[in-house]
Amino acid sequence: MTEKRLWLLDVLRGAALLNMLAYHALYDWVYVFGHTGGWYDIWSPGCHVWQQYICWSFILLSGYSFTLARRPLKNGLLVAGCAVVLTVVTAGFLPSESIWFGVLHLNAAAVLLSCLLRPLLEKCPAGAGLAACAVLFALTNQVQEGYLGFESLRLCPLPAAWYHTNLFWLGLPDLTKFSSADYFPLIPWLFLFWCGLFLARLWRPRAGRAPAALRPLACVGRHTLLVYMLHQPVIYGALWLWHTVC
């Protein structure tokens, strides 16, 4: 089976997962258990770039992988179920870190929407689709903050009335009453997912076995959902034990 896989995708997923594990371990250590962060500050430019690399790589690779899935609808429903479990667990056991529409919710919604819109997406030329989605992602990058623009570049404000109904799943949250420890609304992130989908039609790496040095990373990348679901309980449990014993 490994001879038929696109091993580079597995390696890239594995690298993103390891970065996520390190990032979340530091987050829990500093912001959940209250230890001094030193250089780790989620508001610093360096940590922001690190966090965005993890997010971008996961979502792009998810969109790319959609084109390779034999049963995308089943995959989308499985991820949706995992997202519901994540919300129930975080809201029930760690309310301050509740996740209402995180990356799993986004991934499930993006997969299910892409299944529904697949005939239209397949009719769109890959190059034009990639360019359009990249532009839309950049323009709507800060919609949840109330304006069009990318990062700190503010092009124009959006009507405040759009946010009163708190359509947080879409990207129009009422920030006076909505918060989520992990937040990835459809706008802008669906466009990045579709960037990966269109990219897959333009470029396909060679299939085969990963080089020996990269096989552990590829193995991790082949079990993305399992690692994602288990990583926070394992990290939190290990840090709680360390904090309690030491």
Side-chain angles (χ1 to χ4, degrees):
M1 181 65 75
T2 55
E3 284 75 12
K4 297 181 181 180
R5 292 189 66 89
L6 304 182
W7 62 266
L8 180 59
L9 298 184
D10 290 333
V11 168
L12 292 174
R13 272 193 295 266
L17 277 168
L18 291 184
N19 269 282
M20 180 191 69
L21 295 177
Y23 185 92
H24 284 171
L26 286 169
Y27 180 93
D28 287 352
W29 181 256
V30 175
Y31 294 99
V32 177
F33 288 95
H35 293 273
T36 303
W39 61 270
Y40 182 81
D41 176 0
I42 60 172
W43 306 111
S44 69
C47 281
H48 178 70
V49 169
W50 184 19
Q51 187 256 3
Q52 288 297 293
Y53 156 74
I54 298 168
C55 302
W56 282 46
S57 57
F58 266 127
I59 295 168
L60 271 171
L61 288 168
S62 294
Y64 194 108
S65 299
F66 174 84
T67 66
L68 306 174
R70 288 177 292 178
R71 297 182 294 274
L73 180 59
K74 179 181 177 181
N75 294 346
L77 293 173
L78 174 62
V79 175
C82 291
V84 171
V85 169
L86 190 64
T87 294
V88 170
V89 170
T90 55
F93 294 95
L94 202 61
S96 63
E97 298 295 323
S98 296
I99 297 174
W100 295 103
F101 207 86
V103 71
L104 278 190
H105 302 72
L106 166 72
N107 186 267
V111 169
L112 296 175
L113 278 172
S114 297
C115 286
L116 181 65
L117 299 175
R118 195 165 197 168
L120 293 175
L121 292 169
E122 289 179 346
K123 288 180 181 178
C124 182
L130 176 59
C133 287
V135 169
L136 287 169
F137 173 68
L139 284 175
T140 62
N141 184 258
Q142 295 298 317
V143 162
Q144 67 270 23
E145 297 295 335
Y147 62 91
L148 291 179
F150 184 80
E151 294 289 342
S152 59
L153 175 62
R154 299 193 173 198
L155 298 178
C156 67
L158 295 172
W162 289 9
Y163 298 82
H164 291 166
T165 52
N166 194 30
L167 300 176
F168 62 87
W169 53 271
L170 182 61
L172 303 173
D174 182 347
L175 296 178
T176 64
K177 58 184 179 183
F178 171 77
S179 66
S180 181
D182 186 37
Y183 182 46
F184 288 87
L186 286 172
I187 298 174
W189 298 102
L190 178 61
F191 298 125
L192 187 61
F193 182 93
W194 282 345
C195 281
L197 183 151
F198 287 117
L199 179 62
R201 289 168 49 189
L202 295 171
W203 173 75
R204 191 65 61 93
R206 186 177 60 185
R209 293 196 71 188
L214 296 176
R215 283 173 198 165
L217 204 56
C219 182
V220 172
R222 288 197 296 271
H223 301 91
T224 306
L225 184 58
L226 178 63
V227 173
Y228 188 91
M229 290 300 292
L230 293 179
H231 84 281
Q232 275 289 34
V234 171
I235 290 173
Y236 184 90
L239 291 178
W240 176 85
L241 185 62
W242 176 274
H243 189 263
T244 302
V245 173
C246 300

